[in-house]
Amino acid sequence: MGIPTTIYVEAQISEDGNFAACRYFKNQDGTDEYPTSDISIWSGSNECIFAQADTTQLMLIGATFKTIGSPAGMNASNFAPADDENTISFSMPLTQTITKGVVLLFSNAGIVENLYPSTDPQVTNDATQPPSCEN
């Protein structure tokens, strides 16, 4: 049985006003930042969760994701709306190492003025230590 991994995202409107500029953290308070948007999670994680960091300016409302190397296509199995706590999740296999490309979708808090997609973070389930042991 796997253990979920939560990645906290801080998002603000990009300089050009069209995208969400994102940073990714291991902690909800916006500390212990992942050095890049290529994120390695524990190989024993059966689920990847993206949640809002306390420091975010934009509200997470959904995401699309795709396993790199699989056929392209948009369907119900590769889209996740955010739940009531502004988190999204998708499953990760425990028996093979894969990389999923993710596009997070954000809006302004309160009144939706625009939708802001993130750049494409990638999540790979190849880390050898569980989240509580990562540095």
Side-chain angles (χ1 to χ4, degrees), residues 31-128:
T31 59
D32 205 1
E33 184 174 3
Y34 287 96
T36 71
S37 61
D38 291 333
I39 299 168
S40 182
I41 66 172
W42 182 44
S43 59
S45 291
N46 64 338
E47 181 179 28
C48 181
I49 300 168
F50 278 89
Q52 295 180 160
D54 294 340
T55 54
T56 194
Q57 294 176 353
L58 295 174
M59 186 171 65
L60 180 62
I61 62 170
T64 62
F65 41 87
K66 177 189 168 307
T67 302
I68 304 296
S70 69
M74 178 59 100
N75 56 53
S77 67
N78 63 358
F79 173 78
D83 63 17
D84 291 344
E85 301 196 3
N86 301 96
T87 66
I88 63 98
S89 65
F90 51 86
S91 63
M92 296 293 282
L94 294 173
T95 58
Q96 73 183 100
T97 300
I98 65 162
T99 299
K100 287 194 179 187
V102 183
V103 176
L104 300 170
L105 188 60
F106 297 89
S107 74
N108 305 85
I111 298 171
V112 175
E113 297 171 354
N114 200 355
L115 298 178
Y116 303 95
S118 69
T119 54
D120 187 11
Q122 294 187 6
V123 178
T124 304
N125 58 341
D126 63 352
T128 57

